[in-house]
């Protein structure tokens, strides 16, 4: 006999999760954001004193997408687990 929770989690895809989450206040992310914005007894800052004195911020744009960098390598399976040539 299959577990209904397991079958529900197996059928839930990333697209379905975000689709249900974006469906208004009844969605998971919407209700989470609403409860966070309404306040409550949550901590205001970190539970430890920060130690950083300087921050290096890098904003790099203009590179190719990771999808554009995908290069199909047909000989990869044939050369798997072989020694490198001299």
């Amino acid at each position: 006999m299959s577990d209904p929770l397991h079958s529900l989690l197996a059928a839930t895809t990333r697209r379905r999760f975000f689709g249900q989450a974006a469906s208004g206040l009844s969605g998971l992310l919407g209700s989470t954001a609403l409860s966070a914005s309404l306040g409550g007894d949550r901590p205001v800052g970190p539970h430890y004193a920060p130690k950083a004195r300087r921050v290096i911020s890098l904003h790099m744009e203009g590179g190719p997408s990771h999808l554009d960098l995908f290069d199909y390598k047909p000989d990869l399976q044939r050369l798997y687990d072989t020694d490198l040539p001299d």
Side-chain angles (χ1 to χ4, degrees):
M1 185 148 93
S2 77
D3 183 22
L5 180 61
H6 179 69
S7 62
L8 175 69
L9 291 176
T12 301
T13 61
R14 184 174 184 256
R15 184 178 298 231
R16 177 182 270 177
F17 170 76
F18 283 114
Q20 290 173 350
S23 65
L25 292 179
S26 63
L28 178 64
L29 293 179
S31 61
T32 305
L34 179 65
S35 66
S37 66
L38 291 178
D41 47 354
R42 57 177 194 193
V44 177
H47 62 278
Y48 54 88
K51 297 179 184 177
R53 293 190 180 140
R54 294 178 182 94
V55 173
I56 297 174
S57 176
L58 300 175
H59 177 76
M60 300 186 295
E61 67 179 65
S65 167
H66 69 282
L67 297 174
D68 295 332
L69 292 176
F70 177 75
D71 185 22
Y72 178 66
K73 299 167 182 66
D75 290 336
L76 192 61
Q77 289 185 356
R78 182 178 60 83
L79 296 174
Y80 179 75
D81 205 23
T82 60
D83 292 334
L84 292 174
D86 288 336

